[in-house]
Amino acid sequence: MARTKIAVLISGRGSNLQSLIDAAAEPDFPGEIALVISNRPKAGGLERASKAGISVEVVDHKSFETREDFEAAINHALKTAKVDFICLAGFMRVLTAGFASDWRGRLINIHPSLLPSFEGLHVHERMIQAGVKIAGCTVHFVSADVDSGPIIGQAAVPVLPGDNEEKLAARILEQEHKLYPACLRLLLENKARLLGANVIYDDTVVATGELINPPTN
Ligand code: GRF
């Protein structure tokens, strides 16, 4: 069976990209990463992609006057590479409602909080300031509003006394690297899919094992 062609959009170091590259290297993974696009020419993730032999494109948002023009360039690269699924992984540009709707059901993101709590930026600092005791990460479909959209899976971690931003971010990131490939696999295998405003799952999906704190294989 042909493997789904995936593009990963990044802006930075690309540790989540790496977890997707590693997962896609498994022979039974139902997708292949065909393209990595960065809006920042110096994103560390570009090197990870090149090292894995994946095509890379830099689409620098600063070269475009409007968001629509920037997205048209992204769409052109996606079309050329025959991409049919997009993973945002630390992609720091807000996408337009038009882009989200064109890719509806085929565009997902990972966010380092248990959404709908703590959407937006500076999440780790804000969680520590708020004194929450449980933090985590969320993989969700992208909709017109930032960090919203139907939730696919989540992983929780404790916030411990003495945590600072770095310690908490590292604990969450460890879970991100398990959750993102697990959710992507479920979607590509059509065991999880978007239905209206919700995500529905096959009966075979083990909620505690795949959608909530997935184990490392
Ligand atoms: C991750 O924490 C992700 O959840 C957020 O941005 C960060 C990207 O990190 N959206 P990396 O570039 O994948 O290492």
Side-chain angles (χ1 to χ4, degrees):
M1 207 179 83
R3 300 205 300 162
T4 305
K5 284 183 188 278
I6 302 158
V8 184
L9 271 54
I10 61 166
S11 300
R13 71 191 157 182
S15 71
N16 278 288
L17 163 66
Q18 188 67 55
S19 76
L20 298 175
I21 291 174
D22 294 345
E26 297 292 325
D28 72 333
F29 196 80
E32 75 170 282
I33 301 174
L35 180 65
V36 170
I37 300 178
S38 172
N39 66 307
R40 294 208 181 119
K42 291 193 177 149
L46 288 170
E47 209 176 309
R48 296 179 190 264
S50 299
K51 214 168 160 189
I54 299 167
S55 304
V56 299
E57 288 267 353
V58 173
V59 183
D60 188 343
H61 60 280
K62 291 187 191 137
S63 316
F64 300 91
E65 287 207 347
T66 66
R67 257 178 222 284
E68 284 76 10
D69 289 348
F70 169 60
E71 289 175 357
I74 290 179
N75 265 324
H76 179 73
L78 295 171
K79 204 174 165 191
T80 308
K82 296 190 166 50
V83 163
D84 31 36
F85 201 97
I86 305 172
C87 295
L88 306 181
F91 183 66
M92 300 302 285
R93 303 302 299 169
V94 174
L95 295 165
T96 63
F99 189 93
S101 125
D102 287 349
W103 286 92
R104 194 179 143 74
R106 298 178 300 148
L107 172 60
I108 64 175
N109 181 43
I110 186 154
H111 181 78
S113 78
L114 294 173
L115 291 173
S117 294
F118 299 101
E119 59 193 33
L121 298 173
H122 311 299
V123 167
H124 307 96
E125 184 190 334
R126 284 163 49 216
M127 287 193 288
I128 290 172
Q129 271 170 12
V132 298
K133 304 296 175 235
I134 306 282
C137 53
T138 304
V139 175
H140 62 97
F141 281 106
V142 174
S143 64
D145 299 316
V146 174
D147 298 330
S148 68
I151 290 171
I152 302 153
Q154 292 188 311
V157 301
V159 183
L160 300 175
D163 265 357
N164 57 25
E165 253 178 81
E166 289 71 33
K167 284 185 190 168
L168 180 57
R171 195 174 305 123
I172 295 174
L173 202 59
E174 205 177 309
Q175 294 301 320
E176 293 186 39
H177 297 160
K178 295 181 205 166
L179 186 70
Y180 211 177
C183 288
L184 178 60
R185 178 187 274 276
L186 284 181
L187 294 168
L188 297 182
E189 289 175 343
N190 207 29
K191 290 181 181 165
R193 56 201 166 272
L194 191 58
L195 187 71
N198 287 95
V199 179
I200 55 162
Y201 306 91
D202 266 14
D203 291 346
T204 55
V205 174
V206 184
T208 49
E210 291 168 278
L211 302 175
I212 309 166
N213 291 68
T216 316
N217 296 323

